[in-house]
Structures are given as C-alpha cells and as structure tokens.
Amino acid sequence: MQIKDFKIDHDLKELTEHRTVALPLACYETQINRNINGYIPLHWHDEIQFILIVEGEAVFQINDEEVYLEKGEGLFINSGCLHMAKDHNRSGCVYICLNVSPDFILPQALYATHVYPYVHATNLTHLLLDPNENWGRNILSAIQEISHNIKQQSTLYEIEIMNQLTIIWKNLAANGFPLKYDHAKMMKSHRMKQMLHWIHQNYAEKILLEDIARVGQLSRSETCRYFKQFLKTTPLNYVIEYRIQKSLNLLQDPEINVTEAAYQIGFNSTSYFINKFRSIMGMTPLAYKKNQRHTNE
C-alpha cells in the first residue's frame, strides 16, 4: 500500500489507521517522492515505527536530529516523536514502514517492565538499525518477515507476526541503550507541538511571530531558536511552507483557481503566493495544477 496523500490533523498527529484487520499494526511500502508533497511531511503518532530502506537513500528528521539512511539500513522511531522524511539524491527511495501500537509489542504482563520505560525515555527518540550489528540485523530481518506475512496471510500468520515483534523488541532491549528521563526535554517537545498545532489551526489567518511566541509562552528570540533547532527554519518560513503544503489539495480541484487557492490558505497576494510556491515546489501553481490534471486523466 502506497500512501500518497499523507493525512495529519492540526496537532500534526497522523490520521492513517495503523492496523490490519486483525492486529493493531500496519506494514507497507512507501516511495517517498510519490507522496503528494514530494516528501513525507512532519507528523507524529502514538505508534512505534520501524523503517527498512529497500531502495535508494533517505534523510529522516526526528525532532531536532537528522539521520541519513542507505539501502539495507533501518530506523526505530519512538512513540510521539515529530518526524519527516525526504528522498536523498533523487534516488527513488522506497522503504518498508512498520507501525505498531506500544501495548501490542509484548504481552500486557510485560509492558510496564519492558516497554513503558523505552516509550517514555526522553533520550530515545530514535535508533539507527545497522545491518552490520547483530541486534540491528535481527530487527531488520524481522521487519521483512512481518511484511512478508502480511502480504501472504498464510495460516496462523498473526501468531508469526507476534513472534517477530518479540524478536524485534528483545534485540532492541538487548542493545543496552541507557534510558534517561528529562522533564525539560518533555516540556520542550510539548511546547513545540503546541506552537505547531496553533499554526495549523490558524494558517489561513494573518500570523505574526508574536502570536506564535505567545502560544509557546516564549520570547520571540527563544521561539526562533526552537524552530531553528527542531525544523531548521524560522517560524514565519514554516508558516509559508505549511500554507504551500495545504495548497496542493486545493490546486487539484478544477473548480478552484490559483488566486482562490492563494487567499484560502492565507496569502493576500497572488503574485507572492506564486513566487513562494515556485521557490518551494520548483514550478508555478498553474503548472502544478496542469500536471495534476494530466496525471489524473
């Protein structure tokens, strides 16, 4: 299953339902550049995520860190962490994505001792899964097995998936990663999500830096530092980028022209919208609209 239109709510929480018919997990292949945005936009979800690159290269951003992955490598992304992904070097990156509810990883009797501490550790946002390390190779093999079992759905495949999840978690825990709990980091992540949530609710209105800072209960300079650290951009540039992202669905509607789309997403100048759209998307809104119409036909 390829997810092209990546649905997220105003909190940046992904709306995709991560489950098969029988199990609270989902496993599918994604080609990054086939997403409607050309990349996987910033989002988060309650599920734990495991990635395995099967073609090409990618760069993932998790909170304020970037990780480059090549074919055969993988990534663990913890529950609740902001993350996004882009193709690297136009490689046509394809990866297997396994999302699983934390309370399904192990039997409930083991959750408090062997899962909860990892899910809530503030220093464990992600881990590189290196095929040259035994524990990493075992996890990557288990991801492939789960993907295969979901596709084949042979007799008792659900039980085999549970076996593979146990292998994954046993190897992750055996890695010996030291767990830490930092209240300041928790608050920083919470404030960042609050500011992004407010932007996503109000992107169509006039937004000032002072407005964003007020939501995060920060000074303007500290707000800029947050965005620079987490998103490698300024707050107002992020607003523009998010507006352009929201314009993509509007431009696919044959009843909405470029000017109408511009005003619906918060631009008060069509020419400014066209200029920013071209700088981000590499084409004009009208060219994008025509390309999408041609693709749909």
Side-chain angles (χ1 to χ4, degrees):
M1 177 182 69
Q2 167 74 34
I3 298 179
K4 293 184 180 180
D5 189 1
F6 208 81
K7 301 293 186 182
I8 56 178
D9 68 11
H10 291 305
D11 283 328
L12 282 184
K13 186 173 183 181
E14 186 186 347
L15 297 177
T16 307
E17 187 175 10
H18 293 146
R19 63 177 300 120
T20 64
V21 173
L23 305 174
L25 61 78
C27 190
Y28 50 85
E29 286 192 2
T30 291
Q31 183 170 337
I32 294 176
N33 59 19
R34 288 184 62 192
N35 184 272
I36 188 174
N37 301 285
Y39 64 95
I40 307 301
L42 188 71
H43 67 286
W44 65 277
H45 38 73
D46 294 322
E47 292 81 8
I48 291 166
Q49 186 168 97
F50 294 93
I51 300 295
L52 169 59
I53 306 295
V54 294
E55 292 291 342
E57 307 168 23
V59 55
F60 281 77
Q61 181 178 323
I62 308 95
N63 286 347
D64 58 345
E65 296 186 47
E66 287 188 343
V67 179
Y68 292 87
L69 298 176
E70 298 179 347
K71 181 177 179 179
E73 294 180 326
L75 188 66
F76 159 79
I77 303 175
N78 212 341
S79 169
C81 292
L82 288 165
H83 57 282
M84 62 184 294
K86 293 184 178 180
D87 192 293
H88 189 54
N89 290 333
R90 298 182 179 179
S91 62
C93 180
V94 178
Y95 64 85
I96 296 174
C97 181
L98 169 63
N99 292 312
V100 56
S101 176
D103 58 12
F104 187 68
I105 291 283
L106 293 177
Q108 198 61 40
L110 300 176
Y111 176 82
T113 304
H114 296 291
V115 180
Y116 183 93
Y118 288 85
V119 172
H120 291 86
T122 53
N123 67 325
L124 186 57
T125 57
H126 65 281
L127 279 177
L128 175 67
L129 304 177
D130 187 345
N132 296 314
E133 298 281 350
N134 285 334
W135 68 273
R137 184 166 56 252
N138 291 339
I139 292 175
L140 295 170
S141 296
I143 295 170
Q144 287 180 309
E145 282 298 315
I146 290 174
S147 177
H148 175 75
N149 275 276
I150 287 177
K151 289 176 181 176
Q152 297 299 317
Q153 296 194 9
S154 56
T155 305
L156 303 180
Y157 80 98
E158 299 97 334
I159 295 176
E160 179 55 29
I161 287 173
M162 293 180 68
N163 288 338
Q164 295 300 325
L165 287 176
T166 301
I167 290 171
I168 287 174
W169 205 252
K170 178 182 176 182
N171 278 274
L172 188 142
N175 174 43
F177 189 87
L179 305 180
K180 298 178 183 178
Y181 306 90
D182 186 332
H183 180 70
K185 280 191 175 181
M186 290 181 185
M187 283 303 301
K188 198 166 190 176
S189 177
H190 176 68
R191 280 178 171 163
M192 192 71 225
K193 286 180 180 178
Q194 278 186 314
M195 290 187 287
L196 294 174
H197 168 72
W198 185 87
I199 289 171
H200 296 167
Q201 283 189 314
N202 296 279
Y203 69 90
E205 308 299 327
K206 182 178 181 180
I207 293 179
L208 302 175
L209 176 57
E210 290 83 351
D211 301 324
I212 302 171
R214 191 180 306 113
V215 173
Q217 298 180 314
L218 299 167
S219 68
R220 292 189 299 173
S221 59
E222 190 67 12
T223 299
C224 290
R225 280 193 285 271
Y226 266 59
F227 274 78
K228 187 68 173 177
Q229 179 183 354
F230 276 86
L231 303 179
K232 311 298 186 289
T233 189
T234 67
L236 296 183
N237 277 344
Y238 178 78
V239 172
I240 291 172
E241 291 166 4
Y242 186 72
R243 285 171 173 165
I244 298 300
Q245 181 182 324
K246 298 299 288 185
S247 75
L248 300 182
N249 278 323
L250 292 176
L251 291 170
Q252 294 191 52
D253 187 336
E255 302 300 319
I256 297 178
N257 62 37
V258 171
T259 297
E260 289 170 332
Y263 280 90
Q264 282 194 39
I265 60 174
F267 286 94
N268 56 17
S269 164
T270 304
S271 60
Y272 186 63
F273 168 59
I274 293 171
N275 179 265
K276 290 299 180 181
F277 191 99
R278 183 192 290 116
S279 68
I280 291 172
M281 298 298 296
M283 65 180 74
T284 66
L286 185 59
Y288 178 84
K289 191 174 181 66
K290 289 179 178 178
N291 284 347
Q292 291 301 308
R293 184 168 65 242
H294 177 72
T295 299
N296 292 336
E297 289 174 354

